[in-house]
Amino acid sequence: MPEISLDLGEVTLRGTVAGAGPTVLLLHAGGERRGVWSPVAAVLARRGLRSVAFDLRGHGESSGRAATLRALADDVAEMIRRQPAPLVLVGASIGGLAGLAALADPAIADLVAGLVLVDVVPDLAPGRVRSWLDFHGLRDRHALIVEDVLGSGSALFATAGALDLPILVVQGGPGSPLGESDVLRFRAANRHVTVARVPAAGHLVARDAPDELADLVSAHARAWLKAGSKPAEYAE
């Protein structure tokens, strides 16, 4: 698969392109690399979609340090600007939150046909998030970005609530930090939100159930990109 680089001055992001057709931008979870998307990208390519997956700053082959959500969001905004529009944005965990933060800019949101949040919604309870990260031995390694994200919860929730585009939340099964009350609260905040559950997966759905995730992403992406109209048509 062709590899690409995105030079943003202070950092260089490394990415991989697969397939041809309308673009799906794939953002991995914290601590992951773009290669986690390879099985998903292969399915998308067979279904007529082009995918682009970057290592986030401070991850994999990309340079820099992932210390603030704003820095990640600015990177995502530039990724979106440099891809053919409209595209579908898919973000797992912190990748999804960085995508949401980027969409706070209406000019960026106008380039996006739909958003898939993989096992994440904005403004989760900080105590529960910290406990989940501690249980998995992750919080100490990512302390700065964790606290920055938790402090951004209310702003992210406001951004998500105001988005006028279709949003799919893909919720993992046991082992996910995402609770049913979190999903219901998010659905109440934005009428364009729909939910699909993948019980066989934990938090890292792309790793645990790539085929099922690819099915969901491809079906929704093709519908959103084909419609090119008002997201209310896809609200449930």
Side-chain angles (χ1 to χ4, degrees):
M1 293 185 286
E3 295 192 353
I4 57 174
S5 294
L6 190 58
D7 185 356
L8 302 181
E10 65 172 15
V11 299
T12 298
L13 306 179
R14 306 294 185 185
T16 301
V17 180
T23 297
V24 179
L25 179 60
L26 303 168
L27 307 174
H28 63 73
E32 292 280 279
R33 297 183 176 209
R34 69 185 189 272
V36 73
W37 293 111
S38 295
V40 174
V43 175
L44 299 183
R46 291 197 295 271
R47 296 180 182 172
L49 293 166
R50 172 181 178 266
S51 66
V52 180
F54 283 97
D55 286 334
L56 299 179
R57 68 162 60 203
H59 293 73
E61 296 180 318
S62 292
S63 63
R65 186 183 183 200
T68 66
L69 185 64
R70 183 71 263 157
L72 292 174
D74 288 346
D75 293 348
V76 173
E78 197 58 37
M79 294 176 198
I80 293 171
R81 287 190 192 99
R82 300 197 192 188
Q83 295 301 319
L87 58 79
V88 168
L89 182 61
V90 180
S93 194
I94 199 168
L97 299 180
L100 268 178
L103 295 177
D105 181 347
I108 297 299
D110 283 346
L111 302 175
V112 175
L115 172 66
V116 180
L117 295 175
V118 183
D119 209 54
V120 70
V121 297
D123 204 20
L124 292 172
R128 178 150 43 86
V129 173
R130 292 188 186 102
S131 295
W132 188 90
L133 291 169
D134 285 340
F135 179 79
H136 291 276
L138 297 171
R139 185 152 68 111
D140 288 344
R141 281 185 283 163
H142 306 286
L144 286 176
I145 187 71
V146 167
E147 294 308 314
D148 187 70
V149 168
L150 293 177
S152 304
S154 59
L156 286 171
F157 196 83
T159 293
L163 284 178
D164 190 28
L165 52 80
I167 303 169
L168 171 68
V169 175
V170 179
Q171 184 179 5
S176 166
L178 191 59
E180 194 63 28
S181 60
D182 302 313
V183 174
L184 290 174
R185 178 171 173 252
F186 188 39
R187 290 195 72 173
N190 189 314
R191 67 191 180 93
H192 302 312
V193 173
T194 59
V195 181
R197 293 171 177 82
V198 184
H203 180 53
L204 300 176
V205 183
R207 186 177 294 279
D208 296 339
D211 290 343
E212 193 165 353
L213 179 57
D215 287 343
L216 289 167
V217 170
S218 62
H220 285 77
R222 290 169 69 184
W224 296 339
L225 291 161
K226 181 179 179 180
S229 59
K230 295 181 181 179
E233 297 176 11
Y234 296 97
E236 293 180 0

